[in-house]
Amino acid sequence: YYRILDTADKISEILGKPATYGHRRTKLKKVILPDGFAKNATYISNFFNGCKELEEVDLSKFSVSNVKGMNGLFQHCSKLKEIDLTGWDTRNVEWMSDMFNNCTSLTKVIMTGDVSNLDKSEELTYMFYGINTNGTFYYNPDYDYSRIISVLPATWKAVPLK
C-alpha cells in the first residue's frame, strides 16, 4: 500500500493520472492519508478514480472543508466494500455525480456531514451507478439526505445513525 505523505499536488505523481489509469493507480490496495491531507483543495474529483484494486482507504484525516467538487471520487474502485465519510465537513460540496460509480463491491457507505449545498446542484447523476450489490447507506438524520437517498440503488436501504 501507499502511505501518502505529500500534498494533493503530488497525487498524480504517486498514483498516476486518473484519465490514463496509470499502472500504480490500478495496483493500489490500501491508502493511509496524513493529518489535514488536501486541506486547501477545492476539487478532489476523480482522486481515487481507477484504483480498481483498492480495498481499504482511511479517510479520517482527509480534510474536505473547502471542497466543492468530489464527483468521480471513488469511480471504478471495484474492490472497495465500505466507505466511511464520518466527520467529513461537506457543507461546501456541490458536485457528487459519479462519486461511487462502478464500485461494484460496495455494500456500506457512511455519511454524516452537512449536505445542504447539494440542494443548489443537480449534480448527483450516476452517483451510485453500476452498484448491483445489496447495501446500506448510513446517514446523519440531523441533515437532509433525501436527494442522495433518492439516487440509491433499489437494492440498498437508507438507515439513519442514532
Side-chain angles (χ1 to χ4, degrees), residues 21-91:
Y21 300 101
H23 178 270
R24 283 173 269 164
R25 179 173 290 274
T26 59
K27 302 293 183 195
L28 193 65
K29 289 188 177 204
K30 180 178 180 180
V31 173
I32 299 171
L33 301 170
D35 283 334
F37 184 77
K39 67 182 174 187
N40 296 318
T42 53
Y43 295 94
I44 56 172
S45 302
N46 298 305
F47 197 81
F48 296 104
N49 186 341
C51 294
K52 295 177 181 183
E53 299 296 319
L54 187 63
E55 296 174 357
E56 184 180 346
V57 59
D58 178 354
L59 300 166
S60 63
K61 297 177 181 172
F62 202 153
S63 177
V64 297
S65 59
N66 294 313
V67 171
K68 288 184 174 189
M70 54 178 60
N71 39 307
L73 184 60
F74 301 101
Q75 188 169 1
H76 302 295
C77 293
S78 54
K79 291 200 176 176
L80 199 55
K81 293 178 182 174
E82 297 182 5
I83 298 175
D84 185 349
L85 306 178
T86 300
W88 275 28
D89 179 359
T90 52
R91 76 184 105 186

Side-chain angles (χ1 to χ4, degrees), residues 43 45 68-71 93-97 118 121 123-124:
Y43 295 94
S45 302
K68 288 184 174 189
M70 54 178 60
N71 39 307
V93 176
E94 296 175 13
W95 302 286
M96 287 186 171
S97 62
L118 290 176
S121 169
E123 289 301 322
L124 294 179

Side-chain angles (χ1 to χ4, degrees), residues 118-158:
L118 290 176
D119 290 338
K120 299 175 186 174
S121 169
E122 293 299 318
E123 289 301 322
L124 294 179
T125 54
Y126 301 109
M127 186 173 181
F128 293 93
Y129 182 80
I131 299 175
N132 299 316
T133 56
N134 291 325
T136 307
F137 176 76
Y138 296 93
Y139 65 96
N140 182 344
D142 294 337
Y143 300 112
D144 182 6
Y145 276 86
S146 60
R147 293 215 45 235
I148 293 175
I149 291 168
S150 73
V151 297
L152 285 172
T155 57
W156 277 51
K157 58 186 171 189

Side-chain angles (χ1 to χ4, degrees), residues 3-14:
R3 182 179 295 270
I4 298 176
L5 301 173
D6 218 326
T7 64
D9 298 333
K10 292 283 196 178
I11 196 65
S12 288
E13 180 183 319
I14 295 166

